[in-house]
Amino acid sequence: MISCAEAVRQLWEYLDATVDPARRAEIDDHLSLCARCCGELEFAVEMRRLLADSGGPELPEDVRGRLNRKLKELE
Amino acid sequence: MPVRVAGTTDERAAPPERRTPKRGPRSAAGPSAGPGAERAAERKQAFRELVGTQLPRLYWAARALVGDDAEDAVQDCMVKAFERFDQLHDPVAGPAWLRRILINCCRDRLRADARHPDSVGFEEVESFSLYRKIAYEDPFPYSDSLHLDFLQEFGREDVHAVLRRLPDLYRVPLVLVHMEGFLARETAEILQVPLGTVLARLHRGRKLFEKRMWDYAEENGLLKGGSR
């Protein structure tokens, strides 16, 4: 079985599905027996969510005002 | 070379009727306006609506890619998109088309402001695990969800501040994949580098992001639990 260090090193790639099938199976085997690495995996999922959510539906008002003015100037 | 998006064409290939106003009855576009002016007014309105709905997404993507130059990059994007709006034939492709233009504008700015990557000790970063660091340092002793509490200390501005601490080389693929939702192979196409290069930069970028998160949390008092 691969070591914790080897499994953890590729957790993001595992979540991206960019590891090859053989490696994926090795990581799956490791995760099925290692609670700590499962914790690492859950944390990686949360980290990815933090990044994905760091855009946003709203703009600072001053920024919105300046960009809308620019948009009107294009006409 | 700029990246193309499905649903768009080169301006030179635009149908002639789009560029050659014909005479016709007066319209709401103005007292002496013809169909050409009416089409132009519709075109401007469609452009305004498209950009208006996408502004927040464009701005935050630009913030992550070029930091304080974000507003300028979005303005560059608006100008270029307006000039090329005739190339967009499928309105559904509009948001993706705008994002690609924005990314090209950001890349131009990064190239113009080319800096050497920070000296990064990758041996140290490669072995760094934020998960283990948090568990070892135990910054919130009374927490029963230590790792989530750590992440919850990071607001949007904090995440962007951490991203700005990464060299462009690693920040750009990280943002394209994990904020903008591009696949690694799409990112390779956008950046015009081999897929293996993108995967390697993503790997290092993620490790570096974890390390910089911890450094940022230490430096900005995020480890004191609800101190802000």
Side-chain angles (χ1 to χ4, degrees):
Chain A
M1 193 171 80
I2 59 174
S3 67
C4 288
E6 285 176 286
V8 166
R9 202 173 71 81
Q10 291 191 296
L11 282 183
W12 285 60
E13 289 83 351
Y14 173 84
L15 290 169
D16 285 343
T18 55
V19 288
D20 64 59
R23 193 58 165 177
R24 184 169 192 85
E26 288 177 326
I27 295 172
D28 279 333
D29 287 347
H30 183 93
L31 289 172
S32 69
L33 296 169
C34 180
R36 192 179 74 167
C37 285
C38 287
E40 291 251 19
L41 182 71
E42 286 173 25
F43 185 62
V45 169
E46 293 301 328
M47 287 271 290
R48 293 157 67 95
R49 187 170 296 144
L50 183 76
L51 273 171
D53 292 347
S54 61
E58 75 279 1
L59 279 176
E61 275 308 309
D62 55 335
V63 174
R64 178 176 289 283
R66 285 192 294 271
L67 291 176
N68 277 331
R69 273 198 298 279
K70 181 67 182 178
L71 189 55
K72 284 181 183 159
E73 283 172 19
L74 292 174
E75 296 170 5
Chain B
M1 192 179 96
V3 177
R4 293 270 167 79
V5 175
T8 67
T9 63
D10 190 281
E11 189 175 26
R12 286 165 296 188
E17 65 272 19
R18 281 184 165 242
R19 294 192 285 176
T20 312
K22 292 175 185 169
R23 290 184 185 280
R26 291 183 178 184
S27 74
S32 60
E38 194 173 337
R39 272 197 299 273
E42 286 171 2
R43 174 179 173 272
K44 285 175 185 172
Q45 178 62 21
F47 182 76
R48 241 194 332 254
E49 285 173 8
L50 170 63
V51 174
T53 59
Q54 295 302 311
L55 268 184
R57 182 161 193 179
L58 295 174
Y59 173 74
W60 288 109
R63 274 294 298 274
L65 289 168
V66 295
D68 292 340
D69 287 347
E71 274 187 60
D72 290 337
V74 175
Q75 291 193 11
D76 293 347
C77 169
M78 289 195 293
V79 170
K80 288 187 177 171
F82 188 67
E83 289 168 357
R84 301 170 193 171
F85 195 47
D86 282 340
Q87 297 172 23
L88 178 69
H89 298 307
D90 178 7
V92 174
W97 177 73
L98 272 179
R99 283 165 65 210
R100 296 277 182 137
I101 293 174
L102 176 80
I103 290 165
N104 282 331
C105 290
C106 290
R107 289 184 65 209
D108 290 344
R109 286 187 167 270
L110 292 173
R111 272 196 290 264
D113 185 29
R115 286 164 292 186
H116 295 292
D118 300 353
S119 54
V120 176
F122 275 111
E123 293 77 14
E124 179 201 359
V125 170
E126 185 64 35
S127 60
F128 182 82
S129 159
L130 182 56
Y131 178 84
R132 276 177 283 150
K133 183 74 174 174
I134 294 167
Y136 180 77
E137 297 286 345
D138 195 9
F140 313 119
Y142 300 105
S143 170
D144 53 7
S145 55
L146 186 57
H147 294 86
L148 285 181
D149 286 352
F150 176 85
L151 293 182
Q152 282 169 2
E153 289 294 312
F154 284 80
R156 183 189 300 152
E157 288 296 339
D158 299 311
V159 174
H160 283 265
V162 175
L163 284 169
R164 282 199 293 277
R165 293 180 171 203
L166 304 188
D168 302 342
L169 197 62
Y170 305 110
R171 185 180 65 255
V172 172
L174 199 65
V175 168
L176 294 184
V177 171
H178 292 296
M179 285 182 65
E180 290 302 300
F182 289 106
L183 297 172
R185 63 174 169 73
E186 293 171 325
T187 301
E189 178 206 338
I190 291 168
L191 300 179
Q192 296 169 352
V193 296
L195 176 60
T197 303
V198 165
L199 294 176
R201 289 179 187 172
L202 277 173
H203 178 77
R204 287 190 161 182
R206 291 156 178 165
K207 300 302 290 183
L208 205 50
F209 183 69
E210 288 191 20
K211 179 72 170 66
R212 295 289 185 260
M213 276 187 85
W214 179 263
D215 295 342
Y216 180 89
E218 275 190 325
E219 292 164 19
N220 290 277
L222 270 58
L223 301 179
K224 294 173 185 168
S227 63
R228 298 194 306 167

